[in-house]
Amino acid sequence: MYPRLVPVADCGLLVEFGDHIDPVINAQVATFDRDLMARGFPGFTESVPSWSAVLVGFDPLITDHEQVRALAETIIATMKPGAAKRARHEVLACYDDDLAPDLAIMAQKTGRTPDEVIAAHLSGTYVVGMMGFAPGYAYLDGLPEPIRLPRKTAPVRGVPKGSIMLAGSQCIVSTVTMPSGWWVIGRSPTRILRPENHPPVLFDMGDEIIFKRIDRKTFDAMSTEAAS
Amino acid sequence: MSRAVFLIERAGPMTTIQDRGRFGAQRYGINEAGPMDRAAYRTALAALGYEPGPALIETSLGGLALRCIQGDITVALAGGGFRLTIDGETKGSWCVATIRAGQRLEIKPGPWGSWTCLAVAGDIVAKPWMGSVATHAPTGFGAGVLKTNDEVIIDNAQVLEAREGLLPFPVTGKPRDHVRVVLGPQQQFFAPETIDAFLNTNFTLSGEYDRMGVKLTGAKIAIEGALDMPSQALPRGSVQIPGHGDPLILLSDHQTTGGYPKIAVTIGADQDGFCQLRPRQNVRFSAITPDAAITAARSRAKAETAYLDRLRRRTNA
């Protein structure tokens, strides 16, 4: 049944590799996206990858559904998931109490100490499974099993940017201050959204992320630097 | 270099600076933003002789009042049936007029339409964010939301007397209460009779309408089975069905991804007209094939190009 190709209005083709969140499906998405971005085609506007699908955007004045479908089929036939080496990025994390409003409750709910929650978070190697929702929001998949929790029942307002937030098997380092129902266990001074650069986000689809613990002094120094 | 300065005396809550939009970055969670009625944006600029690209001011039913506190400048209004006045004198709805130092310009909602664009003969000074000044209202990225007492500075301000007057009104500028869609891409979440109901219901635009989108009421659209879809790309114009069953139409400031199924996506050719409906007005949808959607995009673009070319060449002499 998969991959499944579905036309979207007058300007897109949705290429679905599955119907659930799964590392194998997600790696196919990342590979298709990478090949598409490298190849391009006349009228190509953008590739929007997500957990299990890629939206191939096109300009209907230049190309059409039939041509884009043929190109997508060619990419699918030749792509080699897992062959390309993944870029790896280090994200800095400070877990001090005032930056980690949900650390104690997470520890309680998972039956661990706060230090064990931190150690578990630091032990993960995460993959950028999707970006979306808000500018630079990268959904990092790979949170170790023992500290997985469903999200809160209601979102909390004004979660500051830089918050390291957890839910299910995922982790996000937020880039804008927004409401969120995820568990906040620390804060990062690493600039992920950097609009003056190209690309504007530190990570790309499929990249690997690891976290490195920093102390409060380093966090404060870097935060001051970033703000100036 | 001549400069004009506008002091905003009163701005409705959805008054923003927009350019064409910020394209190609949805993969990073960064959406296009840009004008709600994109043809109105192009029309207002063409009325002053410009190609699409420059920044202008978009406002909505809250309207806008500003005073020109420095310089003289020609402006153009297009989109919706709004009314432009200068020092109380009515200039028209889709029109070009000149405002001089000390004069007050006002845009008020008229009998129809939800969004209008005010272009200026000059360059609005605004700091781009990722190469575009288009304002994404929820985050404030871009040039930003305009508020009372803000100043808008315009460099290279010009007076274009030969362009003043009313603009010819294109039929495509009207609101569209019949919007064409391509069904899917998540048709599997809806029973055939649910899709029939979606296509046979006269929906009403609710008051929950902003630059992100609008909620419709009229029929609850039921989702089949468990709502277990992973988040995926959510293009502009999507008809998303959240758990409450009232369709949401995603517009300029839409989120780039979403985890609710899309029963259909509206075609680009009908999105501008849809945006010009007002809360409490009705809309119905009809399904066309993906290939017919492309044909519609091309025929609409052809007609619009001819109209804009005429506007750019137009003088009142």
Side-chain angles (χ1 to χ4, degrees), chain A residues 4 7 9-10 14 19-20 33 37 46-47 50 52 55 60-61 63-65 130-136 176 195 199-201 204, chain B residues 24-30 129-130 141 182 185-186 188 228 230-233 255-257 265-266 268 290 293-294 297-298 301:
Chain A
R4 195 169 82 108
D10 54 356
L14 186 69
D19 61 2
H20 60 283
D33 170 63
M37 292 296 282
E46 63 184 326
S47 171
S50 55
S52 60
L55 180 67
L61 305 186
T63 186
D64 59 29
H65 286 293
M130 187 184 106
M131 282 188 262
F133 181 67
V176 288
V201 176
D204 207 346
Chain B
Q26 294 196 85
R27 60 185 290 107
Y28 301 113
I30 298 163
W129 188 82
M130 261 194 77
F141 289 142
V182 173
Q186 274 89 41
Q188 71 270 25
D228 56 358
S231 281
Q232 69 169 215
Q255 294 171 358
T256 57
T257 55
V265 179
T266 60
I294 292 202
R298 290 175 179 176

Side-chain angles (χ1 to χ4, degrees), chain B residues 238-251:
Chain B
S238 292
V239 185
Q240 198 188 33
I241 308 295
H244 54 59
D246 290 326
L248 279 176
I249 315 292
L250 280 303
L251 299 168

Side-chain angles (χ1 to χ4, degrees), chain A residues 146-226:
Chain A
I147 58 166
R148 292 182 185 178
L149 283 180
R151 69 179 68 178
K152 298 173 188 172
T153 47
V156 174
R157 285 174 160 273
V159 176
K161 76 171 179 181
S163 292
I164 298 168
M165 322 190 292
L166 313 179
S169 64
Q170 295 155 29
C171 173
I172 287 179
V173 183
S174 70
T175 51
V176 288
T177 298
M178 280 184 100
S180 175
W182 291 41
W183 306 93
V184 179
I185 61 143
R187 208 174 301 170
S188 174
T190 303
R191 264 189 95 220
I192 294 166
L193 180 63
R194 25 167 229 175
E196 69 286 0
N197 288 34
H198 189 80
V201 176
L202 183 59
F203 321 136
D204 207 346
M205 184 71 186
D207 288 356
E208 279 183 2
I209 312 297
I210 51 168
F211 286 87
K212 185 185 165 196
R213 188 169 193 172
I214 53 169
D215 61 20
R216 187 53 182 264
K217 210 174 119 196
T218 312
F219 174 84
D220 287 340
M222 288 188 72
S223 302
T224 313
E225 195 182 310

Side-chain angles (χ1 to χ4, degrees), chain B residues 199-223:
Chain B
L199 294 173
N200 289 302
T201 297
N202 223 355
F203 288 98
T204 304
L205 276 76
S206 75
E208 289 177 48
Y209 184 8
D210 61 17
R211 285 183 42 87
M212 288 179 78
V214 59
K215 185 172 107 173
L216 307 181
T217 57
K220 296 281 184 190
I221 304 298
I223 296 165

Side-chain angles (χ1 to χ4, degrees), chain B residues 91-106:
Chain B
K91 296 293 180 181
S93 184
W94 291 41
C95 63
V96 175
T98 297
I99 177 167
R100 300 189 183 271
Q103 289 188 312
R104 186 173 196 265
L105 177 152
E106 203 165 359

Side-chain angles (χ1 to χ4, degrees), chain A residues 60-97:
Chain A
L61 305 186
I62 298 173
T63 186
D64 59 29
H65 286 293
E66 197 184 324
Q67 291 185 46
V68 176
R69 172 181 285 265
L71 183 101
E73 284 170 348
T74 305
I75 293 176
I76 290 165
T78 56
M79 70 184 215
K80 295 185 179 61
K85 191 166 160 40
R86 291 174 155 168
R88 181 178 270 224
H89 310 270
E90 189 177 76
V91 173
L92 304 178
C94 180
Y95 300 94
D96 274 23
D97 286 349

Side-chain angles (χ1 to χ4, degrees), chain B residues 27-316:
Chain B
R27 60 185 290 107
Y28 301 113
I30 298 163
N31 94 332
E32 314 94 306
M36 294 290 280
D37 181 341
R38 295 170 295 183
Y41 164 84
R42 293 186 287 260
T43 300
L45 290 167
L48 299 173
Y50 300 136
E51 298 289 331
L56 52 60
I57 298 171
E58 178 191 83
T59 191
S60 186
L61 295 173
L64 172 69
L66 61 83
R67 192 168 296 276
C68 185
I69 56 171
Q70 181 188 326
D72 301 339
I73 187 167
T74 300
V75 299
L77 190 76
F82 287 73
R83 269 194 290 266
L84 177 73
T85 63
I86 292 179
D87 275 355
E89 184 189 333
T90 299
K91 296 293 180 181
S93 184
W94 291 41
C95 63
V96 175
T98 297
I99 177 167
R100 300 189 183 271
Q103 289 188 312
R104 186 173 196 265
L105 177 152
E106 203 165 359
I107 298 170
K108 286 182 182 166
W112 62 273
S114 280
W115 305 92
T116 197
C117 289
L118 181 74
V120 299
D123 307 316
I124 292 180
V125 178
K127 200 173 156 210
W129 188 82
M130 261 194 77
S132 161
V133 301
T135 303
H136 179 249
T139 55
F141 289 142
V145 177
L146 287 176
K147 297 175 298 295
T148 304
N149 292 328
D150 282 352
E151 283 188 4
V152 178
I153 295 168
I154 302 147
D155 281 339
N156 305 311
Q158 285 181 281
V159 171
L160 306 171
E161 276 166 353
R163 289 187 173 275
E164 289 172 12
L166 297 176
L167 302 177
F169 180 76
V171 285
T172 50
K174 288 184 189 164
R176 275 196 84 98
D177 57 6
H178 165 216
V179 170
R180 292 167 290 178
V181 300
V182 173
L183 290 173
Q186 274 89 41
Q187 263 174 283
Q188 71 270 25
F189 281 92
F190 305 97
E193 54 273 24
T194 305
I195 292 172
D196 284 348
F198 169 70
L199 294 173
N200 289 302
T201 297
N202 223 355
F203 288 98
T204 304
L205 276 76
S206 75
E208 289 177 48
Y209 184 8
D210 61 17
R211 285 183 42 87
M212 288 179 78
V214 59
K215 185 172 107 173
L216 307 181
T217 57
K220 296 281 184 190
I221 304 298
I223 296 165
E224 286 284 288
L227 187 54
D228 56 358
M229 180 190 136
S231 281
Q232 69 169 215
L234 183 62
R236 190 187 201 271
S238 292
V239 185
Q240 198 188 33
I241 308 295
H244 54 59
D246 290 326
L248 279 176
I249 315 292
L250 280 303
L251 299 168
S252 290
D253 284 348
H254 66 94
Q255 294 171 358
T256 57
T257 55
Y260 294 111
K262 298 172 277 294
I263 193 170
V265 179
T266 60
I267 67 168
D270 291 358
Q271 289 177 16
D272 294 330
F274 173 77
C275 285
Q276 292 297 359
L277 293 171
R278 283 183 179 175
R280 291 191 295 281
Q281 287 186 317
N282 292 339
V283 63
R284 49 194 307 133
F285 299 100
S286 65
I288 61 171
T289 66
D291 289 339
I294 292 202
T295 306
R298 290 175 179 176
S299 72
R300 166 138 181 159
K302 195 175 163 201
E304 193 192 300
T305 301
Y307 170 72
L308 296 179
D309 284 346
R310 275 202 310 281
L311 279 191
R312 284 189 204 98
R313 287 196 305 267
R314 184 174 167 276
T315 65
N316 53 18

